[in-house]
Amino acid sequence: MMSMDLNSDMGESYGVYKLGCDEESMPYVTSINVACGFHASDPSNMLKTIRLAKKYGVAIGAHPSFPDLVGFGRRIMACSSEEIKADVIYQIGALWALCKTEGLTLQHVKVHGGLYNAAAKDIVVATAIAEAIKAVDSSLYMLCLGNSLMVTAAQNVGVKYVEEAFADRAYTNQGTLVSRKQPGAVIHDVDIVARRVLSMVKEKSVKSIEGIDIPISAQTICVHGDTPGAVGMIKAIREKLEQNDIKLAAFGR
Amino acid sequence: MMSMDLNSDMGESYGVYKLGCDEESMPYVTSINVACGFHASDPSNMLKTIRLAKKYGVAIGAHPSFPDLVGFGRRIMACSSEEIKADVIYQIGALWALCKTEGLTLQHVKVHGGLYNAAAKDIVVATAIAEAIKAVDSSLYMLCLGNSLMVTAAQNVGVKYVEEAFADRAYTNQGTLVSRKQPGAVIHDVDIVARRVLSMVKEKSVKSIEGIDIPISAQTICVHGDTPGAVGMIKAIREKLEQNDIKLAAFGR
Amino acid sequence: MMSMDLNSDMGESYGVYKLGCDEESMPYVTSINVACGFHASDPSNMLKTIRLAKKYGVAIGAHPSFPDLVGFGRRIMACSSEEIKADVIYQIGALWALCKTEGLTLQHVKVHGGLYNAAAKDIVVATAIAEAIKAVDSSLYMLCLGNSLMVTAAQNVGVKYVEEAFADRAYTNQGTLVSRKQPGAVIHDVDIVARRVLSMVKEKSVKSIEGIDIPISAQTICVHGDTPGAVGMIKAIREKLEQNDIKLAAFGR
Amino acid sequence: MMSMDLNSDMGESYGVYKLGCDEESMPYVTSINVACGFHASDPSNMLKTIRLAKKYGVAIGAHPSFPDLVGFGRRIMACSSEEIKADVIYQIGALWALCKTEGLTLQHVKVHGGLYNAAAKDIVVATAIAEAIKAVDSSLYMLCLGNSLMVTAAQNVGVKYVEEAFADRAYTNQGTLVSRKQPGAVIHDVDIVARRVLSMVKEKSVKSIEGIDIPISAQTICVHGDTPGAVGMIKAIREKLEQNDIKLAAFGR
């Protein structure tokens, strides 16, 4: 029986500020990426998120970021390789300790926002992240954008990794994501998204924005849980996969 | 052969800002308390401090604080028990991960500044800290102000602990520290300090500010390494102890 | 014709985090207290709030806080008088400059959360705030909790001030606020709240929680705009006052 | 009689962290750029710096930065034009208010570190800064790197500006700064530096790194006060200029 993982960013509330629909979407995903305080979250919100994940048996990963709370980690910063490495290790450890108090371990690390975008295109950044992960715990997976320099870095460094595809994003003929600035970059139709994900899992391919079947290698599908509509999409994807005898399970299990 | 531990705060530099004489004092202490980013330090400076400790075989502890960088963690904040607990766990984990990349483990946790002062007098705060430590790793020691509510909390919670005495501080007849606001609270004469420490170790007592011998139970002595003069005092204490056949060693070894 | 001011905290969103119903409540208040980045808000959100206030002709005040973003400024911090003074001046200036780019000036300063609670009971804190306000601009009003040490400080320092009453809070026989920990401290019935406010304005008195008429001196009424229900309450208060020929106007105009 | 301004970054201490030799160098400069809390400094340190400048009659400018305390504002961040504008206005206002409490006004704005480097090469960034300055107070000067896009932006926006040259930096034949990564980029010989500054002022030219006389247009010379050696260099420059009948005076006076 085939299986697939659905991952989503969670724990991005901060102090009194609430962000996302963690409680609504947690029952439907299999892995989560928990903010670690650099772009979002704080120790108390991280702990709350961990407890929610525990309740539903969801696998936990760290979601480290550039140190930019006011910018939500979305702005690329010209940090050095050594700074990125130390920052990523710090954030993994903080989440690890909070998980440990609940008897849980970490499955993976997926970097956030600007750091993710930088790592996808800059081998120096991607390598710093891979080295950080390996240095802390070689059993951790690096969650990589499929077909990007993150994968190259993970292979070079020798860290375990999985590739992710995006449920609701259009792809170019080359297998890269269509820029959000272009029309059609984000797919909003729930049925189409669910069918695309099914194709990614069963056929290991998806139609590009120009209509060509392109190969997709993904061990996890990124979904969003930040709006009620987004939660509906997760449910639809899950249902579609289950109807087609695909088991939903965290990739590390 | 008797032995004693000398502990000192380290790793309190932040970004480009340098604080303390870590390189000068590291060879002479046996345990350090490393700032974890809430009152001082950042991931890169923490890693640098860990490497320096590794070079000299010094045992490492976490030095968590209230989240108050601009106030250097000195200002007591009315944080809830749950906030303190989560904050302490977070900080321990961050340091733990950085240590792990260097093949090191943590020996203890000593809270900093305002959090230390609050914990000494407030059982709720002290208990939150003890619970945080136990929840992360029950092999960690809680470093407690001797004769304070920290000790009570450690005992109640069932976490391993050591008591610390201060090399250069005057004590009351009741065995508590004389407030820094009172004259004579801090002892500056190197010889007197060294002799007092020797008395603390060999006689388990010290002269109070009123001249009475009071009992002192300490498994570690707190020393300062933030000025060249302070480093000289550490050396003098160390020399005095070694001349009297007292071995300098981290308490956890 | 009598007039009254309704003040509300605004501009407490931060980065991507949204807080409060500023757009919904802005048309119904006459003065706002804008967060200045220490407990909430950031320069971009402050500017957005100022533009919204400008659209509705609402008077603007600064809402400075202890430096505690993660705690939303609610936790009292043991800051020195000099620290509070410099922090308040800094925050007033930051908001002043953003207002100036829109051709607006500041009407008042109302401190936030933990700093407000501290100032109500601690003359040293209240005096630091009054001195800060006077030092920046002696035409600014200090918005004080009625019948508190803030008023004493404003009088001693010689800064202009107004006293505020709370629309939805119960009062003791002594004219102080009933602690939120006690039952009945917050009044949720919209009609009762509106009638109480009318009484505060017309009779300069209100029923205490024990049923006695107590005198209330208020030039501004604090209302909340953080939930849809809260906005409904503002509208009801406003309607009740207007039906009774009381004009709604910022106190400084 | 010719005159020249010497400007230096000051007020970059933060909390307990001391940076720079402000007290030693203040008597010898004529304008200072005061950190505003985003890359360095805090309200209390800003006020201390303002009082020191007042003592010596030194003109004050704001030194706004990207929001990156741990990176000292040196790392370029991909902030939007609107974010930069609001951030710069906020920082100017904060310093303005602190100055006002000492009866002082601001002379200029010089952006810091990564923001300075970005503005020199990116017209969008430089324009955001110029617009921010003009929006707050059209009497403020924008301090621009000579021969850079900052000057273009200042002219386009219509904000007053001065151009600065660097006392101790080598220049290319094109009049741009030699990158710090190249040998010879920084000139350490005090006599040579002093003679170069004299040439900049009297001849309005300086020898390029390749030995060609290039034109320099500068109304202010940037000097450093962060080390005892740097202070010595400021004194030498000042002495050389005074010996040649060049008056030292803030450009705005």
Side-chain angles (χ1 to χ4, degrees), chain C residues 133-151:
Chain C
I133 296 169
K134 194 179 180 192
V136 176
D137 182 352
S138 61
S139 75
L140 290 172
Y141 287 85
M142 177 165 165
L143 203 157
C144 303
L145 174 61
N147 202 19
S148 80
L149 289 178
M150 288 191 215
V151 176

Side-chain angles (χ1 to χ4, degrees), chain C residues 30-160:
Chain C
T30 46
S31 292
I32 59 168
N33 319 303
V34 181
C36 299
F38 275 41
H39 77 283
S41 210
D42 59 77
S44 299
N45 272 304
M46 289 165 74
L47 194 50
K48 194 176 158 191
T49 307
I50 290 165
R51 287 173 179 156
L52 189 64
K54 185 181 182 179
K55 181 176 167 188
Y56 292 102
V58 171
I60 297 172
H63 199 38
S65 166
F66 285 128
D68 178 22
L69 197 62
V70 72
F72 200 64
R74 286 182 177 154
R75 308 182 291 202
I76 290 181
M77 294 176 70
C79 296
S80 73
S81 204
E82 286 308 307
E83 288 168 340
I84 291 169
K85 204 169 158 180
D87 283 3
V88 168
I89 295 167
Y90 180 102
Q91 293 177 75
I92 294 172
L95 182 67
W96 167 86
L98 289 160
C99 283
K100 193 159 182 291
T101 67
E102 293 292 322
L104 302 175
T105 55
L106 292 178
Q107 173 188 249
H108 69 280
V109 178
K110 173 180 172 178
V111 295
H112 168 83
L115 188 54
Y116 185 93
N117 294 334
K121 295 176 186 169
D122 184 338
I123 191 69
V124 174
V125 172
T127 302
I129 295 162
E131 289 178 347
I133 296 169
K134 194 179 180 192
V136 176
D137 182 352
S138 61
S139 75
L140 290 172
Y141 287 85
M142 177 165 165
L143 203 157
C144 303
L145 174 61
N147 202 19
S148 80
L149 289 178
M150 288 191 215
V151 176
T152 313
Q155 292 170 339
N156 289 348
V157 170
V159 69
K160 287 158 70 178

Side-chain angles (χ1 to χ4, degrees), chain B residues 12-19 39-43 69-72 74, chain D residues 12-19 39-43 69-72 74:
Chain B
E12 298 192 320
S13 292
Y14 175 74
V16 300
Y17 295 105
K18 194 178 180 310
L19 197 76
H39 76 283
S41 211
D42 59 77
L69 196 62
V70 70
F72 199 63
R74 286 182 177 154
Chain D
E12 298 192 319
S13 293
Y14 175 75
V16 300
Y17 295 106
K18 194 177 179 311
L19 198 75
H39 77 283
S41 209
D42 59 78
L69 196 63
V70 71
F72 200 63
R74 286 181 176 155

Side-chain angles (χ1 to χ4, degrees), chain A residues 12-17 19 39-42 69-70 72 74, chain C residues 12-17 19 39-42 69-70 72 74:
Chain A
E12 300 193 317
S13 292
Y14 174 74
V16 300
Y17 295 105
L19 199 74
H39 76 283
S41 211
D42 59 78
L69 196 63
V70 72
F72 200 63
R74 287 183 176 153
Chain C
E12 299 192 319
S13 292
Y14 175 75
V16 301
Y17 295 104
L19 198 74
H39 77 283
S41 210
D42 59 77
L69 197 62
V70 72
F72 200 64
R74 286 182 177 154

